[in-house]
Amino acid sequence: MAEGDGDLQPQPPPLALALAIPSTIKRQSLRPAPRGPGPGPGPGLQNTRSLNPESLLDCAAKAVAEKWAFERVEERFERIPEPVQRRIVYWSFPRNEKEICMYSSFQCRGSAEDTATTGSGASVGSGAVSGGVNTTGGSSGAGGSGDGLPFRRGIRLLESGSVENVLQVGFHLSGTVTEPATQSEPETTYKVAISFDRCKITSVTCGCGNKDIFYCAHVVALSLYRIRKPDQVKLRLPISETLFQMNRDQLQKFVQYLITAHHTEVLPTAQKLADEILSSNSEINQVHGAPDPTAGASIDDENCWHLDEEQVREQVKQFLSQGGYYGSGKQLNSMFAKVREMLRMRDSNGARMLTLITEQFMADPRLSLWRQQGTGMTDKCRQLWDELGALWVCIVLNPHCKSDEKSCWLRQLKKWNDMDVCPLEDGNYGTELPNITNALPQSPNLSQDSLARPRRTVFTRAMEACDLHWQDSHLQRIISSDFYMSPTYQREGESLLFNCQGLPLWLEHVPTACARVDALCSHGYPREALRLAVAIINTLRLQQQRQLEIYKHQKKDLLQRGVTTITNLEGWVGHPLDPVGCLFVTLTEACRQEDENAMDTGDSGDSKPPIFHHVPVLGCQENGESFLSLALEVGLMGMGQQRVMPEGLYAQDKVCRNEEQIIGRLQELDLDDILVQTLRKQCILLLEGGPFSGLGEVIHRESVPMHTFAKYLFSALLPHDADLAYKLALRAMRLQVLESSAPSSDVTHPHHGISVVSSRYPRWFTLGHLESQQCELASTMLTAAKGDMLRLRTVLEAIQKNIHSSSLIFKLAQDAFKIATPADNPPDITLLNVALELGLQVMRMTLSTLNWRRREMVRWLVTCATEVGLRALVSILQSWYTLFTPTEATSIVAATVMSHNTILRLTLDYPQREELANCARTLALQCAMKDPQNCALSALTLCEKDHIAFETAYQIVIDAASTGMTYSQLFTIARYMEHRGYPLRAFKLASLAMTHLNLAYNQDTHPAINDVLWACALSHSLGKNELAAIIPLVVKSVHCATVLSDILRRCTMTAPGLAGIPGRRNSGKLMSTDKAPLRQLLDATISAYINTTHSRLTHISPRHYGEFIEFLSKARETFLLAQDGHIQFAQFIDNLKQIYKGKKKLMMLVRERFG
């Protein structure tokens, strides 16, 4: 990108992408002739903090030192004076601490203006470092405190005086750095050496043996020493220059002293070199001059900062192997942020580092595993891949990228793209999205198929971006000037280049245009990015205005049909290029207020919220227009865009996540009068936007809901325009996809460029989250409307119409109840009534469906109705059949209403208590009629204090006993009757229960045994007649010998008729087993013993022989109760011996015990 009189000036040609670590500089030093007298001690470095202006020599030396290799200087000029050499060498060391910070910490924040002029703006020796802007993406920090990062540690070492013996020889800096002693380590001194060229560190060596992406703290300390204290650094010209000035004797002495000082290390090398020099045919004699590691780089050497590529590979590989655990995801995001930082500083290592990262990502063994298994990658991995793809878009959109460099990147991207394991752009779902180079205003008749690609990977957008260029003259003028406008005489009629105010437009596919903005920001062109962002927003405004005009013509027809079209092939929120977030961050960063002396080098954990101020937009004719108000406007436009829900879990989840990110940024803005005006204006436009707005009157069934966005708008608008806030939030409450009717879509699009309606309804994976956000919006409105009956009623109607989840409505009811009943203040009756209404709806919704929280809901509703008052309780009691099951109505609702605590809580007088009790009794009788099995006992309990009601309930039980009730239910009610003093009724119910019972011979642990024993005991206590009546029932129902014998024993121990019923006489005589009714029971018991014995002997095992003998002993006791019992038992034993003579051991035991 070239022409233009703005800030975006042509730069030196970018270097080809290289992956080799630059070796230590050892350029051949050629000295053809003497160039002046030998140097004396030489002047020391001047203190550049002096108030005196820089000399012309220093100005020229600074420019040459930054742009020219020293070899080119030597070739260009035959004779270079020593003072000039000294100043070039002096200015060749990096001058900006931010550059040192960038290579020694995860992320350094530098101001936009500073980063746009990297390496040429800071004065040497200046200790202060400019603050700056944040990157548009990535994470700022490696985790933990920034104090542990090499840059911070290097500063501490420098400030503690640990740097010594600093010497600069040409383009080589050396020194020692001493680490102070710790509890576990002694004091250690490390030798540090740094080579540099054209204001870049090209290689580093440290005795600590550091293995990391970043420079160690010792390299940082030495570098900062040179930047902050240049006057304390001994400066010498390249060593070849010094050697050139020596005569033969001096050279011999120099070499011999050098060998003596390091003879054990250099003697073999010295002898080898001497032999080669003395040989006329040696290779060393074929080359003119000799290498000098202090003489700077040659013309052909790549000029870039030192980056340890192997360490980059190893660390990325290690982080990926951890699978997103142990903070590795944060570490990788920090590496992405470092790439963005390098790009912003216009450092060629940005693309180099991203290439290394991508290679390791593509080599991740999990990719092939996921592909073979057909499973999707984890969410954290997906986000990392998204950022990787977005960074490559930034790389290839570098406005000063050479065509051959872009071709090289395109070949590499295609290579990765063609690999089978390359992740798709939207996970496992191949949604067809438009090509990045297609602009919306063009090709109105273009079909969807022609815009689609069958397979889109995370690199597809970057590959498409390679087709974009910056040579468009209109684009050049937009980014080059704040005052680019159309001439006044050309502002009439339609124009694709300017709006009616003459401000420039940029008509391009919005995410693509925003990718350009991101690229400009990322490559250190913040002013140009702002200009393009403003042009994009003016275009969006014009598009919004035209959409409103289209809707006005279609409004009547659309409202009648209730259908609409989706006008965007891809939504801006959740888009892989994050266009809304990109524009918002670009605009707000221009308005950020920060400490100019701050440098963020890591995650300090105590980040303060940003502070913004209004910065006017130059060239804008509207009053009050600022970058901050534009940021708010574009955030609202993007979030309010109607967009179809994408397919696939990951794509839908990304929409939700991106919404939250944008709203989080919006919430950072402190809304003043200007921003409130922008907010109100945009909200009105969104409400009137028809099918083009997600908050318009008519939306498509598959549109992404606006609940999260509307919640933010409601809270922001409420203090300033409550009516608009409620109108907007109520409009947003809808969730069309859950509505039963799905009208056919209008697929025509006569008035706009590209319009697509989804013909398929994808599965909404995030529906649960969306419903919860809908609930949050409703809860926010309920809270705000407290005390306002009209608004509460409106919100209630919206909830009842639009929320379809009983659990969420119950949550809203609970929230409303909690807000309406503060601990220290009287309740808000209007909000309480809303809570009750919602609770009643929940009851109706869950009445015929299974819900594990149903009992909790019922109890809560009674509590809520109690707080509302008597009339609410009466109402739910009278309409119980629409709200509760009979069991709930009697056991929970009526029982709670009639409890002592409820009466006290309501402070009712006697007539009110009677009214409530009558309602409860009526409910109980109705429930008993409907479900006597489960409600009869509760009905009797509730009707105890009313004789007529109690009798009615008892009759209901009697009527139901022969048909629908079980013996256990009847026994329970019979016991209740006895407890209440109705023994004859208890006897009747127990007799009915016995008719339903069947106890087999081997059920000697049946739960009904106690009930049978109790029923017989009750009959015995009532008298001989009652006992005679129940014994036939017992004989018919019970076939278990032990139970029958137990009943028989109890009946013979006491005389019948001990209940003391008035009018009954107690004979006081024990009953005989030879006479009725016990004779029948005795015969049945003996018969049961005989049958049980034969049954047990059929499958008896030796281990049960002892138990069987004891059983026969109990049988003998029962036999002996009969007059001829001993004879019967003897015959019984003989029969056993005869029938089961094969069981010899058992029969032997029988003979031993019974003869």
Side-chain angles (χ1 to χ4, degrees), residues 186 336 338 354 472 619 727 940:
F336 289 145
K338 179 59 63 181
L354 185 61
D472 184 272
K727 183 178 180 182
L940 288 167

Coordinates of all heavy atoms in Angstrom, one line a residue, residues 186 336 338 354 472 619 727 940:
P186 N 23.9 -20.4 46.5 CA 24.9 -19.4 46.8 C 24.8 -18.3 45.8 O 24.2 -18.5 44.7 CB 26.2 -20.2 46.8 CG 26.0 -21.3 45.8 CD 24.5 -21.7 46.0
F336 N -0.2 -16.6 21.6 CA -0.9 -15.9 20.5 C -0.9 -14.4 20.7 O -0.7 -13.6 19.7 CB -2.4 -16.4 20.4 CG -2.5 -17.8 19.9 CD1 -3.6 -18.6 20.4 CD2 -1.7 -18.3 18.9 CE1 -3.7 -19.9 19.9 CE2 -1.9 -19.6 18.4 CZ -2.9 -20.4 18.9
K338 N 1.5 -12.8 22.2 CA 2.8 -12.4 21.9 C 3.0 -12.2 20.4 O 3.7 -11.3 19.9 CB 3.8 -13.5 22.4 CG 5.3 -13.2 22.1 CD 5.7 -11.8 22.7 CE 5.6 -11.8 24.2 NZ 6.0 -10.5 24.8
L354 N 4.3 -17.6 14.6 CA 3.0 -18.2 14.3 C 3.2 -19.5 13.4 O 2.5 -20.5 13.6 CB 2.1 -17.2 13.6 CG 0.7 -17.7 13.4 CD1 0.0 -18.0 14.7 CD2 -0.1 -16.7 12.6
D472 N -6.8 -0.5 -3.9 CA -8.0 0.3 -4.2 C -7.8 1.8 -3.8 O -7.5 2.1 -2.7 CB -9.2 -0.3 -3.5 CG -10.5 0.4 -3.9 OD1 -10.8 1.5 -3.3 OD2 -11.1 0.0 -4.9
G619 N -13.2 15.2 11.0 CA -13.9 15.2 9.7 C -15.4 14.9 9.8 O -16.1 14.9 8.8
K727 N -40.4 -1.6 26.7 CA -40.9 -1.9 25.4 C -39.9 -2.9 24.7 O -40.3 -3.9 24.1 CB -41.1 -0.7 24.6 CG -41.7 -1.0 23.2 CD -41.9 0.3 22.4 CE -42.5 0.0 21.0 NZ -42.7 1.3 20.2
L940 N -60.6 -38.1 56.4 CA -61.1 -38.4 57.8 C -60.4 -37.5 58.8 O -61.1 -36.9 59.7 CB -60.9 -39.8 58.2 CG -61.8 -40.8 57.4 CD1 -61.3 -42.2 57.6 CD2 -63.2 -40.7 57.9

